[in-house]
Amino acid sequence: MHSPGGPVGVAEPQHGWGRELAQALGSVRGAPLRLESLSLAFCSSLKPCPELEHQASGPKDPSPEPQGPSLLTLQALQELDLTACSKLTDASLAKVLQFPQLRQLSLSLLPALTDTGLVAVARGCPSLELLALSHCSCLSDEGWAQAASSWPRLQHLNLSSCSQLTDQTLDTIGQACKQLRVLDVAMCSGINVAAVRRLQAQLPQVTCVQSRFVGGADLTLTL
C-alpha cells in the first residue's frame, strides 16, 4: 500500500467511478483512508454511476455518509487530478467533490463541465490553492461571478482555452482571489490585454500571467 503522503495513480477504469478504484477503496476496512494525493487523469472511461446522477439531481440524502466504496471516504485528500475524465458531468462532480481540505484540483479537458458544476465544486472545495480548468469551453462569466468568492486562497489558476470567458471574469477574480500569484488565460479570445494588465495592477503579487493570443495578441508577463 502506498505511503499516506504519496500520490496514487489508477489505471483506466471501465465502469462507474471505476471498478478498480471501488475495489481499492473497499479493500481497506477498519481504518480510515489517509490518502492525500490521487490522480485519475486521462481515465476516459471513468463515468458517473446512474445512482450518483439520480441523487445529485433529486432530493438530497439526509445521511451525509457515503454508502459503499466512494471517493467521499477520502476526507484527507489534498490533491485530485481528474484531467480529461471526459464523461464526468456536473451532477457527478457535485455529488463527489466535497473535500473541504482539498488544495489542488484539476478539471481540465472536461467538455461537460458548465457553470452549474463550477459553482458546486466551489461550494464543496473551498480551500483550493491551485485550480486547473483549461479547455473547459462551457464555462462563462456567470459561473465565475458565483464561484469566485468561495476561493479566497486560490494562488494558481489555469483558464487557458476557456473560450467563453471575457474581461468580466478577470475583474471578478481580481476582486475575490486576493492571493492569486500565477494565472494562465492563454487562448481565451474573449479576454483583452487591457484586462490582463488591469488585473496585474490590482494584484501586484501576481508574478506570472500566461496570455498568449488573448484578444489576438501574444503576451506573456513575468515579473
Side-chain angles (χ1 to χ4, degrees):
M1 187 172 176
H2 294 270
S3 61
V8 174
V10 176
E12 180 164 327
Q14 300 299 322
H15 304 286
W17 270 89
R19 180 167 296 172
E20 295 91 344
L21 177 60
Q23 289 174 347
L25 295 178
S27 65
V28 183
R29 297 182 179 179
L33 293 176
R34 301 298 302 171
L35 194 66
E36 294 182 1
S37 180
L38 177 64
S39 176
L40 299 172
F42 296 94
C43 292
S44 58
S45 295
L46 189 69
K47 58 185 177 180
C49 297
E51 302 81 40
L52 281 181
E53 298 280 8
H54 174 73
Q55 291 172 12
S57 60
K60 291 186 177 181
D61 187 345
S63 171
E65 295 297 324
Q67 298 180 358
S70 168
L71 284 178
L72 291 173
T73 62
L74 304 178
Q75 286 304 301
L77 202 62
Q78 296 191 29
E79 301 175 9
L80 178 60
D81 190 347
L82 296 174
T83 298
C85 295
S86 56
K87 294 183 181 178
L88 297 184
T89 64
D90 288 342
S92 57
L93 292 172
K95 184 68 177 178
V96 173
L97 293 185
Q98 300 177 31
F99 299 106
Q101 304 305 317
L102 194 69
R103 295 184 297 106
Q104 300 186 20
L105 176 64
S106 178
L107 299 176
S108 294
L109 295 166
L110 297 192
L113 178 63
T114 73
D115 292 339
T116 300
L118 182 70
V119 173
V121 171
R123 292 171 180 167
C125 306
S127 299
L128 290 181
E129 299 173 6
L130 183 152
L131 177 60
L133 295 168
S134 67
H135 294 84
C136 292
S137 57
C138 291
L139 298 181
S140 75
D141 296 334
E142 183 179 350
W144 271 100
Q146 298 179 59
S149 61
S150 296
W151 287 320
R153 302 181 187 179
L154 203 58
Q155 298 180 27
H156 296 252
L157 178 60
N158 186 344
L159 297 175
S160 61
S161 296
C162 289
S163 56
Q164 291 194 48
L165 300 184
T166 72
D167 297 354
Q168 182 181 335
T169 286
L170 284 196
D171 292 339
T172 299
I173 291 170
Q175 295 171 12
C177 306
K178 299 295 187 180
Q179 296 188 35
L180 192 67
R181 296 182 180 278
V182 176
L183 174 67
D184 190 341
V185 288
M187 306 300 291
C188 292
S189 57
I191 294 177
N192 294 313
V193 173
V196 174
R197 296 188 181 279
R198 186 166 62 246
L199 176 73
Q200 284 207 300
Q202 187 175 4
L203 301 177
Q205 78 278 7
V206 176
T207 56
C208 184
V209 178
Q210 300 291 333
S211 51
R212 290 183 178 85
F213 305 112
V214 162
D218 187 351
L219 175 66
T220 298
L221 301 177
T222 302
L223 301 182

